[in-house]
């Protein structure tokens, strides 16, 4: 493992984790394609889809908890939403991460591409304006939240993404949660999801430990910084950044799958 490898992997982890803290996603929406495509550009050995999903699953565990810690004050964490969605997504991610070991490389990438397209479409759907609602008055459909979280957990467990990039548009578009509460709460649910995803990937031997360790260090440094920036940014700008990022990733993944 040379210096170029360490610098490249650390940079990928830092950028992804900064965006994770800022936008309320686990960061895999950007780190998954970066890990697939960037190392070979520097003459490094390319990771397989299974290795990328394993590294992402473990790294997201630390990126999300670092982001949650930065958002712990201010009343942005909706405890009921965390309980209902967190419990369901944990079960789903355990099922998905274990089941991913039986899928081919192509199948893992296809699942990721489908998730990215769904998330991109949802981010561009007109949203009910909820950012002016007092945080203590926020309500949501509990059974619907749990069912959606279970589905997201299964699908995201397969690709090691923890589902943050799907949870955000679901909370904004379907459950009508205010943007800043969505960002903070989705990080907490993503953390719970990543527990199941990490266990499944570790048990099935899909984790490359050295790159995962490098990205964990980057996560702990970058996620809190991203959260601080996110707190100061206009919520509409945050939504647009996430939507464009998800859409771009979906286009790149499907271009490679179909060519």
């Amino acid at each position: 493992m040379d210096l170029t490898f360490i610098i490249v992997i650390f940079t990928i982890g830092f950028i992804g984790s900064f965006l994770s803290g800022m936008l309320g996603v686990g960061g895999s929406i950007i780190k998954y394609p970066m890990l697939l495509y960037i190392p070979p550009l520097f003459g490094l050995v390319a990771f397989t889809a299974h290795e990328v999903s394993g590294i992402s699953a473990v790294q997201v565990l630390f990126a999300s908890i670092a982001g949650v810690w930065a958002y712990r004050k201010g009343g942005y964490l909706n405890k009921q939403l965390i309980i209902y969605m967190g419990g369901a997504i944990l079960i789903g991610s355990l099922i998905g991460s274990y089941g991913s070991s039986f899928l081919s490389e192509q199948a893992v990438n296809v699942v990721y591409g489908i998730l990215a397209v769904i998330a991109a479409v949802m981010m561009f759907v007109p949203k009910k304006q909820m950012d002016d609602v007092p945080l203590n008055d926020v309500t949501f459909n509990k059974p619907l939240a749990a069912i959606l979280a279970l589905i997201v957990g299964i699908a995201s467990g397969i690709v090691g993404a923890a589902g943050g990039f799907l949870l955000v548009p679901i909370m904004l578009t379907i459950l009508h949660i205010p943007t800043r509460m969505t960002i903070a709460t989705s990080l907490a649910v993503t953390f719970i999801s990543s527990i199941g995803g990490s266990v499944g990937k570790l048990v099935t031997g899909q984790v490359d430990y050295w790159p995962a360790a490098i990205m964990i260090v980057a996560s702990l440094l970058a996620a809190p910084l991203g959260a601080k920036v996110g707190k100061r940014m206009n919520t509409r700008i945050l939504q647009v950044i996430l939507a464009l990022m998800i859409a771009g990733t979906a286009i790149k993944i499907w271009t490679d799958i179909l060519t």
Side-chain angles (χ1 to χ4, degrees), residues 5-23:
F5 179 87
I6 295 173
I7 293 173
V8 170
I9 301 302
F10 182 87
T11 302
I12 291 172
F14 192 94
I15 293 172
S17 297
F18 182 86
L19 293 171
S20 165
M22 186 172 74
L23 301 171

Side-chain angles (χ1 to χ4, degrees), residues 77-88 140 184-186 188-189 192:
L77 293 168
N78 187 309
K79 294 178 182 177
Q80 278 199 322
L81 196 56
I82 293 171
I83 292 170
Y84 279 89
M85 296 193 80
F140 62 96
T185 304
S186 67
V189 178
I192 296 171

Side-chain angles (χ1 to χ4, degrees), residues 105-226:
E105 299 284 311
Q106 181 80 344
V108 173
N109 280 333
V110 168
V111 171
Y112 183 87
I114 292 171
L115 295 181
V117 168
I118 294 172
V121 170
M122 291 180 66
M123 284 303 298
F124 286 104
V125 170
K127 300 168 184 63
K128 184 178 179 181
Q129 183 55 253
M130 296 294 294
D131 287 340
D132 295 331
V133 176
L135 297 180
N136 291 332
D137 295 339
V138 174
T139 59
F140 62 96
N141 186 318
K142 297 179 177 63
L144 179 60
I147 291 170
L148 291 172
L150 178 65
I151 295 170
V152 170
I154 293 172
S156 59
I158 292 174
V159 298
F165 67 100
L166 268 176
L167 289 171
V168 170
I170 284 174
M171 288 183 186
L172 290 173
T173 307
I174 300 176
L175 300 178
H176 305 304
I177 307 298
T179 302
R180 295 199 193 282
M181 179 174 281
T182 290
I183 291 172
T185 304
S186 67
L187 280 170
V189 178
T190 296
F191 167 68
I192 296 171
S193 173
S194 65
I195 295 173
S198 298
V199 170
K201 298 295 183 184
L202 288 166
V203 168
T204 53
Q206 298 181 62
V207 178
D208 193 336
Y209 292 102
W210 276 115
I214 294 170
M215 293 190 74
I216 286 168
V217 173
S219 299
L220 295 175
L221 293 172
L225 293 176

